[in-house]
C-alpha cells in the first residue's frame, strides 16, 4: 500500500527559523514528524518548562477526551462505510499536532524555547511539524483488530515512554513506576544544555527517531491509517524519503516471520 504525498510546509512567522524542507520523495510511513532544533537554546529554561506548560496541559486534557470519543465515532463509521469522517480526522490530527508541539517544547524533546501557540493551525508553529495525509479508504475488517496487531509495538512503547511495573506475590500487589528511554535521553540533553549550553546532536537525532516511532503507532491505533508501523528507527529532525527498493509500510509480517525492516 503506497503512501500519499505530504503537503508542503507553510512559511514561518517573522523572526522564526525556517522549518525543515519537505521530503523530496515518498516517505516510508504516511506520517511526517519533524523538528527544527534551536541554534542558541537557553541553559536554564528547561528547568521551568513544566510550569509554563500547565495551561497547555489543562487544554489538552479536554482535547484528548474529545479525541477519544470522536475516535469511537470514527470506528463505527469505518466499520460500516470504510471511510474516516474528514472533519473528525482533521480534528484528531490537530490534537495530535498540539501534543507534539507541547512535547517538542517540553520534555519529549526540549528542541525549542519558542512557546507553542494555542492554535489548531498547521502553519502556526514551524519549530515542530506533524502531518498525516487523509486516507480515501480504510479497511472495514482491520479496524476490529488493530489494537491486537499493535501489541508488539505497545511493548516497545512501554520501554520508550515509561510507566508502572506491576507484580503480584502472595496476594500482594507491588507497583513500581519507571522512566522511559525518551525521558532519560531528554534529561541528559537538559543537563548538557545547563553545563555546556549545547544540545548533543546524537541525542537529538535519537530522541526524534524514538518519538517518530511513538507517533506512527498512535496514528495506527487511532485508526488514521491502515499501514502497519515499521519496526525501524528513523533518526534525525528531518524525515528522509524512502530509498529505492526499501519496503513501504503495510501489513504486519506473518506470525513466525521477521519484519522486513530492522532497527
Amino acid at each position: 500500500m503506497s503512501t500519499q504525498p505530504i503537503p508542503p510546509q507553510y512559511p514561518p512567522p517573522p523572526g522564526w527559523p525556517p522549518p525543515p524542507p519537505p521530503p523530496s520523495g515518498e516517505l516510508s510511513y504516511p506520517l511526517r514528524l519533524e523538528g527544527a532544533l534551536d541554534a542558541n537554546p537557553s541553559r536554564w529554561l528547561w528547568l521551568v518548562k513544566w510550569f509554563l506548560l500547565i495551561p497547555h496541559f489543562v487544554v489538552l486534557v479536554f482535547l484528548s477526551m474529545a479525541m477519544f470519543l470522536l475516535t469511537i465515532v470514527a470506528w463505527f463509521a469505518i466499520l460500516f462505510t470504510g471511510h474516516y469522517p474528514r472533519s473528525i480526522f482533521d480534528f484528531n490530527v490537530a490534537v495530535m499536532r498540539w501534543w507534539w508541539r507541547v512535547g517538542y517544547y517540553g520534555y519529549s524533546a526540549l528542541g525549542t524555547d519558542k512557546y507553542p501557540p494555542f492554535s489548531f493551525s498547521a502553519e502556526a508553529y514551524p519549530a515542530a511539524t506533524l502531518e498525516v495525509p487523509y486516507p480515501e479508504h480504510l479497511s472495514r475488517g482491520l479496524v476490529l483488530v488493530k489494537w491486537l496487531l499493535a501489541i508488539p509495538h505497545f511493548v516497545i512503547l512501554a520501554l520508550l515512554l515509561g510507566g508502572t511495573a506491576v507484580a503480584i506475590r502472595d496476594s500482594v500487589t507491588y507497583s513500581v513506576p519507571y522512566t522511559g528511554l525518551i525521558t532519560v535521553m531528554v534529561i541528559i540533553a537538559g543537563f548538557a544544555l545547563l553545563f555546556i549550553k549545547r544540545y548533543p546532536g546524537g541525542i537529538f537525532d535519537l530522541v526524534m527517531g524514538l518519538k517518530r516511532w511513538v507517533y506512527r503507532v498512535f496514528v495506527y491505533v487511532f485508526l488514521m491509517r491502515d499501514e502497519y508501523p515499521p519496526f525501524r528507527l528513523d533518526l534525525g529532525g528531518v524525515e528522509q524519503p524512502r530509498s529505492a527498493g526499501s519496503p513501504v509500510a503495510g501489513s504486519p509480517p506473518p506470525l513466525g516471520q521477521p519484519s522486513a525492516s530492522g532497527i
Side-chain angles (χ1 to χ4, degrees), residues 80-195:
F80 290 106
T81 69
H83 296 282
Y84 202 123
R86 184 59 187 261
S87 58
I88 296 178
F89 182 90
D90 290 342
F91 175 83
N92 285 352
V93 170
V95 174
M96 193 173 292
R97 184 184 299 118
W98 196 315
W99 269 115
W100 171 233
R101 289 170 174 175
V102 170
Y104 190 72
Y105 172 83
Y107 301 100
S108 289
L110 294 178
T112 183
D113 290 339
K114 297 174 177 61
Y115 195 74
F118 291 85
S119 172
F120 281 128
S121 174
E123 65 268 26
Y125 196 66
T129 303
L130 188 150
E131 297 289 347
V132 184
Y134 178 73
E136 295 299 330
H137 179 78
L138 292 169
S139 169
R140 297 167 62 183
L142 192 59
V143 73
L144 298 170
V145 296
K146 280 186 175 180
W147 64 272
L148 180 63
L149 298 176
I151 287 177
H153 278 290
F154 292 154
V155 174
I156 297 173
L157 260 57
L159 300 175
L160 300 183
L161 300 176
T164 302
V166 178
I168 301 176
R169 182 178 182 182
D170 298 331
S171 301
V172 178
T173 301
Y174 301 90
S175 60
V176 179
Y178 64 94
T179 302
L181 177 59
I182 293 175
T183 302
V184 172
M185 293 293 100
V186 172
I187 291 175
I188 293 173
F191 279 102
L193 290 174
L194 187 63
F195 291 108

Side-chain angles (χ1 to χ4, degrees), residues 44-55:
W44 58 267
L45 185 61
W46 69 277
L47 296 170
V48 297
K49 283 184 176 182
W50 64 270
F51 179 76
L52 300 176
L53 286 173
I54 288 176

Side-chain angles (χ1 to χ4, degrees), residues 157-247:
L157 260 57
L159 300 175
L160 300 183
L161 300 176
T164 302
V166 178
I168 301 176
R169 182 178 182 182
D170 298 331
S171 301
V172 178
T173 301
Y174 301 90
S175 60
V176 179
Y178 64 94
T179 302
L181 177 59
I182 293 175
T183 302
V184 172
M185 293 293 100
V186 172
I187 291 175
I188 293 173
F191 279 102
L193 290 174
L194 187 63
F195 291 108
I196 65 175
K197 204 176 186 301
R198 183 175 62 85
Y199 199 126
I203 292 181
F204 176 75
D205 290 344
L206 177 59
V207 167
M208 288 298 299
L210 296 176
K211 293 303 295 185
R212 196 167 283 126
W213 190 315
V214 170
Y215 275 86
R216 286 171 175 174
V217 177
F218 286 171
V219 165
Y220 183 74
V221 298
F222 276 100
L223 314 178
M224 296 176 180
R225 302 293 305 194
D226 280 347
E227 295 89 345
Y228 193 75
F231 289 90
R232 183 178 60 251
L233 195 58
D234 293 325
L235 304 176
V238 179
E239 291 270 13
Q240 299 298 323
R242 182 173 63 92
S243 58
S246 62

Side-chain angles (χ1 to χ4, degrees), residues 3-53:
T3 59
Q4 300 181 21
I6 302 292
Q9 277 194 313
Y10 299 90
W16 285 66
S24 58
E26 185 182 51
L27 300 179
S28 59
Y29 193 80
L31 161 71
R32 182 185 179 193
L33 186 141
E34 296 181 328
L37 183 63
D38 278 6
N40 296 297
S42 168
R43 287 180 183 269
W44 58 267
L45 185 61
W46 69 277
L47 296 170
V48 297
K49 283 184 176 182
W50 64 270
F51 179 76
L52 300 176
L53 286 173

